[in-house]
Amino acid sequence: MTARSTDASAVGAAGAADAAAAPRSLRPLVGVLAAMAVSLTGTRVSAIALPWFVLATTGSATMTGLVAFVELTPYVLVKALTGPVVDRLGPRVVSWTADAVSAVVAGLVPLLHGLDLLPFWLLLVMVGVIGAARGPGDLAKEIMVPEAADRGRVPMERATGLSGVTERLASTAGPAVGGALVALLGPMVGLTVNAVAFALGSLVIALALPRGMGRAVAPHAAAALPLTEAAPSSEPAPGHRTGRVAERVDEPGAPPIGYWRMFREGFTFLRGDPLLLTIIVMVAVTNLLDAAFMTVLVPVWAQESGGGPAAIGLTGSVWGIAAVGGSLIAAAVAHRLPRRTVFFTGFLLCGAPRFLVLALGAPMGVVLAVFAVSGFGSGFLNPILGAVQFERVPRHLLGRVNALGDSLAWAGIPLGGLLGGAAVALVGLVPVLLVCGGLYFATTTLSGLRPEWREMDRKRGRGPQAVADTGSTPAERPAVTTAVGA
């Protein structure tokens, strides 16, 4: 380990050291999770209300997929590019600002529709703005989780498990509320609830968290320092190669490093790990299929089967309740289980069976049972991935690494609804469900045969500073993206 590398590790450890010196408080973790809960619940309500509104007013699955494409494309692109901004400004400022923008624009949608001033092209523009604001807002909340865990003296795997529980609760309450609101009062009420939820999330982050929470990490650096070769591990993992990382020293009075230099640091960190690249590719494919499933295939199935928006809400709620149960178990015992085995078992349960049961036209009771098993398996995925991410990625790189990793894994999501809608219009619902289910099974099964997955259980239970002290290379500290549909 070079002297500069040690200094860089100290930079990443600064926030954790400050948290360790402060009295133990659960307020930061509760605040971050509360903000995530309300904003995600509103988004899940909108995920039912908006597609149903478009499908009911246009009668077109293609148009429905286009709306999802227009929202998610800027989400992915802006999220990928705002990692350095989040690191520079601090996640707290970015989070409440982004949620405030989303609240204003989301509130304008039902208002303009009520005034008969909402043509389809303007709806697309507003949906795109909401997607662009959601990207950095979601990113900022995610990277405040490890600091909140440090302040509360909560084990990282448990903190990410609670974050997973929060997401699953939102996935449970959101579809239930959304389905009921759309069925009883119409989709515009659901979009109004979405705007209110964004506003509440903004207020929680801005006002409820303790002072000093979510500050910028390492805003200054010795800009003249070159990229240096990282010291190789004494026992490099099979298939790994040493990477290059921009190592920085936080010095008072030093000029801030440039945006593209910060962006390059995150990219350099990401590209050095075969395990990370395998995860990104696999999750990108499954996210594309999940996006098609959630935004087009389920609404079309609900319309053709006669279940309507209530069926969408019911299946989503059953899936979410089971996922909450899986996440709670993961928070309690995941640190004792082999990550690789649990990870692929979870994907086996949550993937292809959902597509198959809808394609077979099974009765609602069978559909709900399959969705329950699927949700339970999915509850174990993101807690495992989040723990790997937060215990290995240095804190001063979290914004950039998470932004790039998540955006690459989400790259196919904007296309999911678009391709799903076009495919249904071309060949019908059942063939598309069967093909998507087969692709899901093949992706999660075949990629699991690669040797990189053995690295999931290495260095578990240690934070990024502990990893750095062992002399590991950037390639042994991968950032892990989360599965959206899982």
Side-chain angles (χ1 to χ4, degrees):
M1 175 75 67
T2 65
R4 284 179 180 174
S5 180
T6 301
D7 289 338
S9 298
V11 170
D18 291 343
R24 180 177 186 267
S25 172
L26 294 178
R27 177 184 168 190
L29 185 59
V30 171
V32 171
L33 294 181
M36 292 175 63
V38 293
S39 61
L40 286 174
T41 299
T43 300
R44 298 301 188 269
V45 171
S46 177
I48 291 180
L50 186 59
W52 190 259
F53 168 71
V54 176
L55 193 61
T57 55
T58 68
S60 171
T62 302
M63 290 290 192
T64 304
L66 179 61
V67 170
F69 174 81
V70 169
E71 179 180 8
L72 292 172
T73 298
Y75 179 99
V76 172
L77 293 177
V78 174
K79 189 174 186 180
L81 295 172
T82 52
V85 177
V86 174
D87 284 338
R88 175 67 56 78
L89 298 180
R92 184 173 186 168
V93 171
V94 173
S95 177
W96 73 258
T97 303
D99 280 358
V101 172
S102 297
V104 171
V105 179
L108 287 174
V109 173
L111 176 62
L112 293 178
H113 176 71
L115 297 174
D116 200 21
L117 297 174
L118 188 66
F120 187 71
W121 67 266
L122 182 56
L123 175 65
L124 293 179
V125 171
M126 300 177 74
V127 166
V129 172
I130 294 172
R134 274 184 54 213
D138 288 352
L139 171 66
K141 294 181 189 64
E142 291 167 10
I143 66 175
M144 281 192 283
V145 170
E147 180 185 352
D150 290 340
R151 289 173 177 262
R153 311 290 195 272
V154 177
M156 195 61 66
E157 209 145 14
R158 184 152 297 164
T160 57
L162 292 173
S163 177
V165 170
T166 301
E167 180 183 353
R168 303 312 180 186
L169 284 172
S171 297
T172 304
V177 173
L181 287 176
V182 171
L184 296 175
L185 302 174
M188 287 297 108
V189 175
L191 296 178
T192 302
V193 169
N194 185 31
V196 172
F198 276 127
L200 288 176
S202 178
L203 290 174
V204 169
I205 294 296
L207 303 177
L209 296 185
R211 296 185 64 180
M213 174 82 181
R215 293 177 298 181
V217 178
H220 299 283
L225 289 180
L227 287 172
T228 59
E229 291 291 345
S233 171
S234 57
E235 295 182 9
H240 276 62
R241 57 180 174 83
T242 57
R244 287 164 52 85
V245 62
E247 292 165 345
R248 306 192 279 115
V249 182
D250 190 19
E251 296 180 351
I257 63 175
Y259 170 87
W260 291 112
R261 170 77 178 272
M262 296 179 72
F263 186 90
R264 184 175 59 177
E265 287 183 7
F267 180 78
T268 300
F269 190 95
L270 283 176
R271 72 180 181 182
D273 191 336
L275 171 62
L276 172 59
L277 297 178
T278 302
I279 290 175
I280 288 175
V281 171
M282 188 191 79
V283 174
V285 174
T286 58
N287 280 346
L288 184 151
L289 297 172
D290 283 321
F293 185 78
M294 292 183 291
T295 61
V296 175
L297 302 185
V298 170
V300 172
W301 164 79
Q303 187 182 53
E304 292 187 357
S305 66
I312 304 175
L314 183 59
T315 54
S317 297
V318 168
W319 186 92
I321 291 171
V324 169
S327 295
L328 285 171
I329 295 174
V333 304
H335 59 285
R336 301 190 185 98
L337 302 176
R339 286 174 174 169
R340 182 185 180 190
T341 301
V342 173
F343 180 75
F344 283 102
T345 301
F347 258 126
L348 181 65
L349 294 176
C350 79
R354 291 174 296 154
F355 295 85
L356 182 61
V357 73
L358 297 189
L360 294 177
M364 181 58 73
V366 176
V367 171
L368 295 179
V370 170
F371 270 63
V373 173
S374 171
F376 181 79
S378 74
F380 287 83
L381 300 180
N382 286 348
I384 291 175
L385 293 178
V388 172
Q389 169 189 348
F390 290 138
E391 74 188 13
R392 293 194 171 192
V393 179
R395 295 290 171 84
H396 70 282
L397 293 176
L398 270 178
R400 282 155 280 176
V401 171
N402 282 29
L404 287 169
D406 285 356
S407 295
L408 290 171
W410 282 48
I413 293 180
L415 296 174
L418 196 64
L419 294 177
V424 169
L426 184 64
V427 299
L429 177 63
V430 172
V432 175
L433 285 168
L434 292 174
V435 170
C436 288
L439 289 174
Y440 210 117
F441 178 80
T443 300
T444 55
T445 303
L446 296 179
S447 66
L449 302 178
R450 295 185 60 85
E452 292 88 354
W453 292 103
R454 290 195 294 266
E455 297 300 308
M456 286 192 82
D457 288 287
R458 294 190 62 193
K459 296 185 177 70
R460 64 186 298 169
R462 286 187 275 175
Q465 289 74 43
V467 174
D469 291 342
T470 67
S472 61
T473 69
E476 293 174 351
R477 302 193 301 265
V480 183
T481 57
T482 57
V484 175

